[in-house]
Amino acid sequence: MDASLGDYIKSWLQYPLPHHAISRITHCLTRLKLGGLKDWTIARFVAHFGVDMSEAEQPDITVYPTFNAFFTRALKPGIRPITAGAKDIACPVDGAVSQIGAIESGRIFQAKGQGFTALELLGGDAAAAAKFDGGSFATIYLSPKDYHRIHMPVDGALTRLIHVPGRLFSVNPPTTRAVPRLFARNERVACLFDTPAGPLALVMVGALNVASIETVWAGEVTPPQRSQVQSVDYQAGMIKLTKGQEAGRFNMGSTVVLLFGKDRIRWDESYQPAAATRMGRKIASIL
């Protein structure tokens, strides 16, 4: 779909905004214990976005001490069954497929006429990017109503974490269509794993009001804001996560990008751009 004039106007208005300052304010406000005001805010949010609280482990909104605790809420045990096949790859999040396909000449498709490279996405790490030449990618957008914890699509041993600083444009569909190289411009945390499906990059992309990104092994990776790419290598087998296990979370919503190596997986045909999905469902098969 081509970007419309309205898409461009919405995106142009974001360029002069102090992205990180706005997001840091959000970071503070969503962690305040505001009692009745907090409950009113959550109730309005639930009603406006159509959040299904019947799926939450704790459906009573008054129990959450802060808005962020509500936003990163856990689900009831078993409500997202994990696809069990040995060669099945599970969707890591609730959301909608933004784009899905092949990495061609190192490039990842973003929207009509727009794309970015795996090298850019991974903060200029040429050795890491080379593992995905000719491979496969999926971009999954999490809307405000979605569950915002991120889970492993397959068993994996962590090898590297890369924190890439950048802007914090919105990642909603209009902005994705209008802002060139959006996911390679926004701040992001890339987690690299060795898996039965070969190399995997699980990339958590920040956005406006996404005040922080966490992993289960490192805690809050951002903030603080940094000016240079930071990477941490992990010894083989030091951190292992199983398929369906929580890997991280967005404190406010955003987008996940998955990268797999060449001839390693085949996407399920039911997953096309704009297709809704749920964490745990089969999204691909290991070849």
Side-chain angles (χ1 to χ4, degrees), residues 19-148:
H19 292 181
H20 285 277
I22 291 171
S23 295
R24 298 305 174 253
I25 291 170
T26 301
H27 184 278
C28 292
L29 292 178
T30 56
R31 287 160 176 76
L32 294 177
K33 297 181 179 180
L34 299 173
L37 179 58
K38 176 267 299 179
D39 294 342
W40 179 87
T41 302
I42 294 174
R44 295 291 296 172
F45 186 95
V46 168
H48 180 73
F49 289 107
V51 179
D52 185 359
M53 291 302 294
S54 69
E55 295 186 330
E57 185 175 54
Q58 180 48 263
D60 181 359
I61 65 172
T62 66
V63 172
Y64 297 100
T66 65
F67 184 88
N68 190 66
F70 150 75
F71 196 85
T72 58
R73 62 196 176 275
L75 296 179
K76 290 178 179 176
I79 204 163
R80 292 286 187 274
I82 308 302
T83 183
K87 292 186 176 295
D88 291 354
I89 294 174
C91 187
V93 291
D94 284 5
V97 175
S98 177
Q99 298 295 339
I100 194 166
I103 302 170
E104 299 179 353
S105 301
R107 292 192 63 78
I108 298 167
F109 180 69
Q110 175 178 310
K112 191 170 183 178
Q114 295 190 37
F116 53 92
T117 66
L119 181 64
E120 291 174 314
L121 184 70
L122 299 178
D125 189 323
K131 295 179 180 180
F132 304 103
D133 284 348
S136 305
F137 80 94
T139 305
I140 306 170
Y141 167 67
L142 290 75
S143 72
K145 69 179 177 62
D146 287 322
Y147 168 66
H148 279 84

